[in-house]
Amino acid sequence: MNDRPLFFAPIPKTAGSTMLALLSRQYPESLTCRYNASDINGSRKRLRLMDAERRAELRLVMGHCVLADADLFGTSAKYITFVREPFEQFLSSYYYIRRASWNTHYERVRAIPDLRGFLEYSVQVGLDNLQTRHLSGIFDVMRTSEAQDRPTATVDAEVSSHAHQWLGRMDHVGLTEEFESSILMLRS
């Protein structure tokens, strides 16, 4: 295990669950902070309220939106993520939500008959450009709206710039399509 804490920033539908499982086997639970996907706000609050000494003991921080709290660790952390070919990621999101009855978007997406409708819905609720959104490290851009009546932050030049900066800060960016090779490169 490395002395630098590892931040794993999974992006939806880019092999994040597989990586979370692999990392969970490598780090003891007592040294891990895992964001709960169904309670991101609670997870963020728990990490922010953690005393500095306890936070310094952490060796693994992982889950959706962790980059929004990277300021708590600064440059001492090692940052990794996985990305995926955008259209494949979009398709995977669509089919995942359509079968995931626990997902907040399930009912609405099940009623959408085609990919064009899903794209329009995605833009309305902030499911579009998920990779850019999550790599931006801006929490209000990462979170999605559970209702179409709340305006969602858009992916503009500023958000894209933040994502580009984060890509430059990453110690490792794996490719979902080259998962095994990406894992081997991560180990070296």
Side-chain angles (χ1 to χ4, degrees):
M1 240 182 320
N2 194 321
D3 284 343
R4 291 172 64 198
L6 177 65
F7 254 66
F8 173 51
I11 298 168
K13 310 319 300 164
T14 61
S17 295
T18 302
M19 272 304 293
L20 289 168
L22 290 172
L23 291 170
S24 292
R25 288 191 288 237
Q26 300 299 313
Y27 291 84
E29 192 174 331
S30 63
L31 301 178
T32 299
C33 177
R34 183 173 181 165
Y35 279 31
N36 181 338
S38 61
D39 185 20
I40 297 293
N41 288 324
S43 298
R44 294 186 74 215
K45 184 176 181 179
R46 192 172 63 252
L47 181 66
R48 290 197 168 274
L49 292 176
M50 192 180 289
D51 66 67
E53 188 175 296
R54 170 68 181 118
R55 205 169 35 239
E57 294 173 355
L58 293 175
R59 289 293 146 254
L60 175 62
V61 180
M62 60 183 178
H64 295 303
C65 301
V66 297
L67 294 182
D69 296 314
D71 61 309
L72 296 172
F73 294 84
T75 57
S76 69
K78 179 178 182 177
Y79 298 99
I80 66 170
T81 194
F82 273 75
V83 295
R84 186 174 187 178
E85 193 281 319
F87 185 70
E88 292 299 321
Q89 190 266 344
F90 173 78
L91 282 177
S92 183
S93 293
Y94 175 67
Y95 290 113
Y96 169 77
I97 294 170
R98 287 180 62 88
R99 69 178 181 273
S101 60
W102 59 88
N103 189 287
T104 57
H105 301 281
Y106 172 76
E107 291 297 331
R108 288 200 171 121
V109 172
R110 288 278 301 169
I112 297 171
D114 57 24
L115 290 173
R116 179 179 295 280
F118 180 62
L119 178 60
E120 291 167 2
Y121 175 79
S122 294
V123 170
Q124 290 173 347
V125 300
L127 288 171
D128 63 315
N129 296 306
L130 276 178
Q131 295 179 107
T132 303
R133 287 178 181 279
H134 279 260
L135 286 170
S136 75
I138 304 170
F139 181 67
D140 285 338
V141 173
M142 288 186 246
R143 70 180 182 173
T144 63
S145 171
E146 293 179 17
Q148 291 175 313
D149 56 355
R150 181 172 71 76
T152 305
T154 58
V155 175
D156 57 15
E158 181 183 359
V159 171
S160 294
S161 176
H162 279 276
H164 187 260
Q165 289 171 19
W166 262 112
L167 277 174
R169 276 183 73 184
M170 289 287 168
D171 293 278
H172 180 76
V173 178
L175 301 174
T176 303
E177 292 81 5
E178 297 291 333
F179 188 77
E180 292 83 7
S181 299
S182 294
I183 295 296
L184 290 174
M185 289 175 66
L186 181 60
R187 292 185 68 191
S188 60

